[in-house]
Each structure stands twice: as C-alpha cells, then as structure tokens.
C-alpha cells in the first residue's frame, strides 16, 4: 500500500472514550450514538425491564443485573465513511483504573455532564488524565429534559473548575419540560425535536433558520425571545471557535441535549467526526512513531477473559499505532523477544465478534490470547520498539481470598490469575510460599465483588473474602539488590511480592509509611508501578 492510501485510511479513523461521573447517562449516550451511527436499530435500556433489551455495551451478566458499567468495551462502526472506535468505559469510580488504561488507547474524549449536577468528582479526575495526555475533549451536557442548572452557569463552572475554555456549539431551547431542541451556532439553524416512545427510535426533527416564521411559530414568545438574547450574548462575549485549540485540549466544544430522548445526539456525532483528532504520533523508546509509518506497531491496553462463555477464551485488545494490521501476520513481541503469529484476530462490538482482515492506526483489534500477552505489551514489525508502559495504580483496599474447596484449587488459581492479567484486580502473595491464599489489592471495593462473582459464574468456584486493615501500598526498589535484604522493618507493615516478584510493602496508615521510609533512606518507595 502506498503512503497516500495508508494516510487516507488513517484519516478516516476517529477513536474516543466517554468519561463521566456515575449516573450522568454514559451508557445511554453510548447506545444512542450507536443508534444514530446505524450500528443498532433500537436502543437498549440501561436498567432493563423484562421486555427491554440490555445495553449493547454492558454485556457482562453482573453489568446487566446491576445496571452499571464495570468493564471497558470496544464498539466499532462506520458512520459517514468514518471508522468510529468507541471505547465505552466503566462509569463507577471503583473501576477508574480500567478507564485510565482505556484512555491510553483513545485519541479523543467525550466528557458527559449531568445538567443538574455539573462537574462531579469522577469527571474531574478523568478530565485531569485527559489533560495529562493532551487529548481533545468534547463536552455533552446531558439531561436537559429534566430540571437543571442554567446553561451559562454550567459553562462558567467548566471554565473555572477545569481550567479550560468553552465554545457552545449549540444552545438549548427551553429546559426541563419546555426543552424543545437546540440552536446550532456554527450552521445558524434551529433543531426542534419530537419525543419517541422510550427514546428507542431516532427523534423526528424540524430544522430551519431562527428567523423563519415557521420555526418561530413552533416556540412560545418567551422561549423565542430568550434564545435570541442568549445567542447574541454568546456571540458578543464568548471565545471564538478555534480547531487548533480544540486539538491541543485548550478549548472544549460544548453540546446540549438529552440522550434519553435522542435530542442533540446526531448533532454531537456529526460535529465529532468533523472536528475530532485523527490518530496521532506515539512516543516509544526509539523515538516518535508516526501513524502513517509503513511498519505495523501497536500495544495491548486491555485483556478480557470469558467474553464468549462457550469458548472461555481470553481476548487481548490491541490499539494499532502505525502501519497496516493484517490477519495471520507474524509480529515481534517486544517483552519476550519472540515472534508471535496473530492468527485469530477479531473486530469487536461489545460481546459480539467477527474476523478482521485488516486494520489501521486508531483501530482496536481483538486477538485471542493464549497467555502470550500482558497489559502494556508492544507488538511490531521492522525495528523492535516499545511504547510507554501503562501505570499500575496504587490500591487502597486489600483482602485475603480463600478457596474453601481444596478439590477446586486448580480452577481457583486459574481464575484469579486470569482476572489479574485482565487488570480486574491486583494480586499479591506472601513471601512465605507455605501461605497459598493470595491477597487481592484493588482501587475500589466493588472490584472484590466483581472478582468473586466472576469466579463463581465463569470458573464455578466459590470463595471467601476476608478484609484486611491495610490502606496503602508501595513498590520498593534499591540501587543495590543486597539493600533489599537489610530492611529495617516497621512493626505495622507487611512485605509481599506482586505477580512479577517485585517487593511490595503494605501500611495501615500514612504515618506508618513515613516511619518506614525514614528508617530506610537507601530504599525507593514507588506509588505507581508499570505493567
């Protein structure tokens, strides 16, 4: 393939993740983007009634039972000749580590905000990760069909709390029960929507100029006067739209709507494919890798076990960074130094899968993983290289996981190891090998519930969980290996090893950690490890 043809394929890609605080409507917006993108013909309900569909992105049994997203999912579809790679992330804060890893594979982020609540804690944390990575952020202010805060107040909060300029691409017409539609500031058109039953189908829309007598007749005089006044204010006092500043993460385009009622969803999708960043360069140990470089390269950002209950396999999610991926290609696996044939490659859509023949920078490819791949691995052709590692975040919750049935120890061990490889939980072991029960370490308490649920449902293993009093962990290194043998231990600490045999020390309090570090100035205490 010639370089122009490769560049054209890369230019068609749009890869993004949705970030939000729990209950802002993330899974609903995801479903509606799929509906308007033509990927599904009827939107599912997050909290499904008996006769409704489950959300496409929430494929795991526990997600469907609880009505929450607890694992990242890849949803791929073509819309207006663009290949969309939508990375649906967990909304619950206990699974933010999975979201951080997924953001490493995204070129853009859609920030979802509840119009009644504004900026919330989880949104701010994830925004900071996006800013650290320098990726563009597109904002969708949701639930305009319910009582909420004034639009100008919400814009002011985004600017002050997040420190980013805003440009409202559209502006709401009415709010709550009077919410009728939006004014598109770039196209100078009014879009008035009609509700559909349960929001399952696309919302009928009437489009026209704001001065059109037909459009004016569809609004009451008070609403019309208010929208004209507010648009004049925005045009006079707001910052101009600057695509370069959007790409640099300095300006966020803002959209208003109601995902539940399909108001404003297509306008958001159309603007996104128009303004979103295409796949860009990636830093590696050999220098910067261009997406249009001839040699293929990519990295593993996620592993998911048992997506197909009939086969009980594991899928490695690979973000393509350069060149062309082809089915059955043999690549260099940087960590092991071995050659690996990618014979079972998949295009993913939630739990569904189909064979993929080729892929380009920005695409996400699933590869059946027989234990070869780990999160953070690089695969490539040509000169060997390694992309930056994905951080292993510091756990705050710890518990011993016991297997009460010795006859099922093999399934128990297989299950916890596979779930650790996914990043569902971190696994720590006693240095005394006679103590076989692993210690689970998690960023959020709900991760323990997921591990136990999945061990029972996917591996047929019942477990007992015993919470531990530790609250923080530090990975330990030393300039001289023998220094690790002469540690002056603090009484309220516990030395363990992680899955790679690295020393990890647990503490009950920050004060205990401080005492330990003061006693051992020859040691380095690391809050974050790398996959």
């Amino acid at each position: 393939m010639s370089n122009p043809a490769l560049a054209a394929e890369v230019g068609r890609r749009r890869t993004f993740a949705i970030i939000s605080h729990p209950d802002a409507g993330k899974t609903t917006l995801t479903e509606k983007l799929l509906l308007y993108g033509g990927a599904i013909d009827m939107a599912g309900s997050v909290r499904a009634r008996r006769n409704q569909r489950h959300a496409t992105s929430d494929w795991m049994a526990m997600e469907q039972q609880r009505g929450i997203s607890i694992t990242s999912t890849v949803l791929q579809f073509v819309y207006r000749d663009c290949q969309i790679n939508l990375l649906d992330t967990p909304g619950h804060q206990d699974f933010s580590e999975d979201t951080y890893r997924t953001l490493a594979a995204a070129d853009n982020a859609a920030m979802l905000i509840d119009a009644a609540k504004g900026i919330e804690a989880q949104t701010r944390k994830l925004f900071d990760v996006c800013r650290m990575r320098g990726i563009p952020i597109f904002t969708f202010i949701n639930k305009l069909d319910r009582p909420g805060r004034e639009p100008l107040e919400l814009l002011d909060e985004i600017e002050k709390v997040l420190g980013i300029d805003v440009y409202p691409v559209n502006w709401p017409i009415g709010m709550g029960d009077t919410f009728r539609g939006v004014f598109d500031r770039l196209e100078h058109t009014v879009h008035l929507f009609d509700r559909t039953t349960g929001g399952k189908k696309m919302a009928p829309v009437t489009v026209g100029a704001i001065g059109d007598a037909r459009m004016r007749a569809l609004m009451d005089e008070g609403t019309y006067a208010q929208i004209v006044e507010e648009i004049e204010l925005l045009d006079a006092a707001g910052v101009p739209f600057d695509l370069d500043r959007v790409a640099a993460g300095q300006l966020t385009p803002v959209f208003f709507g109601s995902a539940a009622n399909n108001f404003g969803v297509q306008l958001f999708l159309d603007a996104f494919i128009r303004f979103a960043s295409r796949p860009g360069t990636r830093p590696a140990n050999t220098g910067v890798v261009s997406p249009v470089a001839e040699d293929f390269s990519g990295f593993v950002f996620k592993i998911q076990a048992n997506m197909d209950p009939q086969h009980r396999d594991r899928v490695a999610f690979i973000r393509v960074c350069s060149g062309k991926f082809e089915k059955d290609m043999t690549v260099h696996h940087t960590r092991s130094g071995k050659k690996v044939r990618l014979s079972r490659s998949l295009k993913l859509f939630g739990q569904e899968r189909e064979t993929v023949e080729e892929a380009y920078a920005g695409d996400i490819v699933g590869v059946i993983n027989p234990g070869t791949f780990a999160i953070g691995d690089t695969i490539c052709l040509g000169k060997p290289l390694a992309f930056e590692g994905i951080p292993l975040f510091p756990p705050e919750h710890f518990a011993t996981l016991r297997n009460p049935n010795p006859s099922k120890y093999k399934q128990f061990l297989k299950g916890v190891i596979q779930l650790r490889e996914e990043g569902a939980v971190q696994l720590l072991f006693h240095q005394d090998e006679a103590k076989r029960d692993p210690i689970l370490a998690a960023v959020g308490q709900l991760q323990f519930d997921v591990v136990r649920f999945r061990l029972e449902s996917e591996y047929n293993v019942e477990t007992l969980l015993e919470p531990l009093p530790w609250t923080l962990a530090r990975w330990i290194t030393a300039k001289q290996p023998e220094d690790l043998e002469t540690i002056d231990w603090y009484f309220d600490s516990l030395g363990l090893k992680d899955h790679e045999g690295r020393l990890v020390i647990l503490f009950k309090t920050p004060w205990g950690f401080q005492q330990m570090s003061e006693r051992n100035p020859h040691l380095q205490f690391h809050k974050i490890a790398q996959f």
Side-chain angles (χ1 to χ4, degrees), residues 399-414:
T400 298
L401 189 67
R402 301 195 189 281
N403 167 41
N405 188 347
S407 66
K408 291 192 173 182
Y409 184 75
K410 187 175 181 180
Q411 295 104 299
F412 168 78
L413 192 60
K414 177 184 178 182

Side-chain angles (χ1 to χ4, degrees), residues 3 87 103 116 121 273 336 377 407 423 428 431 443 462 472:
N3 276 327
L87 306 175
L103 286 171
I273 64 169
S336 67
D377 279 0
S407 66
L428 303 175
Q431 298 189 76
V443 174
E462 293 186 6
L472 59 97

Side-chain angles (χ1 to χ4, degrees), residues 84-189:
I84 308 295
N85 297 291
L86 197 170
L87 306 175
D88 182 47
T89 61
H92 199 286
Q93 60 264 37
D94 280 10
F95 304 98
S96 55
E97 190 172 13
D98 196 13
T99 302
Y100 293 147
R101 291 194 291 265
T102 301
L103 286 171
D107 297 314
N108 305 269
M111 180 170 66
L112 185 63
I113 295 174
D114 186 324
K117 298 176 181 177
I119 301 296
E120 298 178 85
Q122 181 72 353
T123 310
R124 184 170 184 173
K125 288 180 184 178
L126 296 173
F127 172 87
D128 289 341
V129 175
C130 295
R131 166 159 281 178
M132 183 174 63
R133 295 199 56 244
I135 63 176
I137 297 172
F138 295 77
T139 301
F140 187 89
I141 297 180
N142 193 26
K143 303 185 181 182
L144 266 291
D145 57 318
R146 304 180 185 180
R149 294 161 61 182
E150 289 297 322
L152 286 171
E153 180 186 343
L154 290 166
L155 295 183
D156 186 58
E157 181 179 49
I158 293 172
E159 290 187 324
K160 289 181 177 177
V161 174
L162 301 182
I164 188 172
D165 287 338
V166 298
Y167 182 90
V169 176
N170 59 35
W171 195 251
I173 299 173
M175 197 158 187
D177 292 339
T178 65
F179 180 52
R180 292 294 316 281
V182 296
F183 173 75
D184 186 330
R185 294 182 64 211
L186 295 180
E187 302 298 329
H188 303 286
T189 53

Side-chain angles (χ1 to χ4, degrees), residues 3 22 47-48 60 92 98 104 203 205 268 331 356 395 407 414 446 461-462 473 506:
N3 276 327
R47 288 180 172 82
M60 190 183 291
H92 199 286
D98 196 13
V205 58
F268 174 78
V331 298
V356 63
S407 66
K414 177 184 178 182
L446 193 54
V461 173
E462 293 186 6
L506 306 188

